[in-house]
Amino acid sequence: MSWVTLLSIVTFSFWLVATWVVMRGNRRMRRLATLTAPAPVAWPRVSIVLAARNEGATLGAAVPTMLALDYPHLEVIAGIDRSEDDTGAVLDAIAIRQPRLRVDHIGELPPGWIGKTHALHHGAARATGAWILFTDADIHFSPGALRRAVAYAEAHKIDLLAAVPELHERGFLLGVCVNAFSFSYTVGVQPWRIPDPGSAAHGSVGAFGLVRAAKYREFGGHTPIRLRPDDDVKLGKLFKLRGARCELLHGAGALSVAWYDSVGAMARGLLLPIGIAIFSYILLRSMVVTHWTGGITWRGTHYPLAALKANRL
C-alpha cells in the first residue's frame, strides 16, 4: 500500500468519524428558538452589554432589535471602544429615542487590556441587572429570545447560557470557509458536553453569553481574561473551572448575524475539505505573522505576545 493511499484512507476516516461525532452531538443540543420553561415568579432585570469599534455600518440595524426584545426589565449598555468612524454618533442618535440604551464613549485603553474585553468589563461594572448578557454589536435578535433564555436559565439553575447565532454569509468561497470554521469549532469545543460537570468541555459565544451577574463578579469579571482575544470561550472556561453550571445552545431562529447570503448549503458541505484547507492556511499564516511581529494587531491595536502568553487560562 502506497503512502498516498494510506494518507487518503486516514483522511477519509477522520472526516467520517468527525462528521458522525458532530451530527450526533448536535442532536443533543437544545435550540433557543424552541426552549420551553415556566416563567419565573418575577422576571429578573437583565443588562445587555456590548462593545463596539468602527461598526457604524452594521449596528444601526442590529441594536434596535436588542431594544425591541419582549422583556420587561431591560437595559442596554454600549461601550464605544475608541472608534474612528460614526459608531458613537449612530448609537447616540438611537439613545435619544430609546431611554433603555446607555452609551459610554471610551477614549483610552489602559495597559494590560484588549479593547473589547475592557469595553465589556467597563459596561458590566455599570450594569444593574441580576443577569448580564454579553453580545456583539451586529447581532440581530428575535423578540422572544431573551425571555426564553432567562426562563430556561432560572428554571434549570444555569449560571452561563450561551447560544450560537445563525450565520448569513456573502459569497460562495466565504461560505465554504465559514462552514469549515463552524465545523472545526464544533469538533474542538464539543458543545454538547459543556453541561456535564465531569467534562472539561467549555465555551461561550460572543454573540450571546448570558451570565449571572453575581457569579461573574465573584469570578473577577473580565479581569482574568483581559488579554484574551478568545474572551468568549475563556469566559466559559472561567465559569466551568469555578464549578458553575453552563450550557451552549443552537441560536438559529432566535439570533442571527449578517456575517457573510447563503449560496448553497449542500455545495458548501461537499466542499468542506477545501474550506478546512483554506482555514488551516489562515491559522498557519496567523501563527507565523504573530511570531514574526511579536504579537497580534486587533481592531487597530497591537498587543505584545509576551503579555498575551502571561494571561493564559
Side-chain angles (χ1 to χ4, degrees):
M1 180 184 298
S2 69
W3 68 270
V4 174
T5 302
L6 180 61
L7 180 61
S8 299
I9 293 173
V10 171
T11 301
F12 176 78
S13 300
F14 167 79
W15 287 116
L16 190 64
V17 172
T19 301
W20 178 80
V21 169
V22 169
M23 291 177 63
R24 184 171 179 269
N26 277 340
R27 287 197 296 268
R28 294 165 57 187
M29 294 174 61
R30 293 177 173 86
R31 298 184 177 274
L32 178 56
T34 58
L35 279 184
T36 56
V41 175
W43 289 99
R45 185 170 177 79
V46 176
S47 302
I48 297 180
V49 175
L50 62 98
R53 176 179 169 86
N54 298 339
E55 297 179 78
T58 58
L59 57 77
V63 172
T65 70
M66 304 176 196
L67 295 164
L69 282 163
D70 178 22
Y71 196 85
H73 307 297
L74 178 68
E75 66 177 354
V76 180
I77 303 171
I80 312 301
D81 174 30
R82 301 164 295 140
S83 274
E84 300 162 332
D85 68 354
D86 62 346
T87 293
V90 172
L91 285 173
D92 285 338
I94 297 174
I96 292 174
R97 306 186 303 270
Q98 297 281 357
R100 293 204 292 185
L101 174 62
R102 295 165 52 192
V103 182
D104 290 336
H105 296 264
I106 302 172
E108 295 184 5
L109 178 64
W113 285 84
I114 284 179
K116 179 188 175 185
T117 57
H118 175 252
L120 293 176
H121 189 80
H122 183 274
R126 287 152 179 75
T128 62
W131 288 89
I132 299 174
L133 172 60
F134 293 108
T135 189
D136 295 327
D138 55 354
I139 303 301
H140 293 242
F141 289 72
S142 68
L146 184 57
R147 188 183 287 265
R148 287 179 180 275
V150 172
Y152 180 80
E154 288 278 356
H156 294 274
K157 296 180 172 56
I158 294 172
D159 301 305
L160 183 152
L161 186 65
V164 181
E166 183 177 3
L167 305 179
H168 296 294
E169 304 137 11
R170 299 190 187 96
F172 181 75
L173 188 56
L174 274 175
V176 171
C177 294
V178 169
N179 198 39
F181 169 79
S182 299
F183 184 83
S184 301
Y185 174 88
T186 305
V187 170
V189 173
Q190 298 188 30
W192 53 88
R193 298 178 60 202
I194 290 176
D196 179 4
S199 169
H202 63 270
S204 183
V205 183
F208 191 99
L210 181 67
V211 301
R212 290 187 188 270
K215 291 286 187 181
Y216 169 77
R217 295 188 174 107
E218 176 188 337
F219 301 158
H222 272 74
T223 300
I225 53 173
R226 60 192 178 277
L227 275 172
R228 297 294 315 202
D230 55 346
D231 60 285
D232 50 354
V233 175
K234 294 308 177 185
L235 183 63
K237 184 175 184 178
L238 179 63
F239 269 65
K240 191 73 178 284
L241 287 174
R242 297 296 184 89
R245 298 190 64 178
C246 309
E247 188 169 346
L248 197 152
L249 312 169
H250 288 298
L255 310 168
S256 66
V257 56
W259 223 25
Y260 302 107
D261 301 312
S262 174
V263 178
M266 181 180 295
R268 287 200 302 272
L270 293 174
L271 292 175
L272 181 61
I274 296 177
I276 291 291
I278 297 173
F279 181 58
S280 299
Y281 163 76
I282 293 171
L283 291 179
L284 180 60
R285 180 185 180 279
S286 297
M287 182 179 67
V288 171
V289 171
T290 296
H291 283 276
W292 182 264
T293 62
I296 65 170
T297 299
W298 191 43
R299 295 191 172 191
T301 303
H302 184 78
Y303 303 98
L305 186 58
L308 297 173
K309 287 182 176 181
N311 193 217
R312 287 175 177 163
L313 178 65

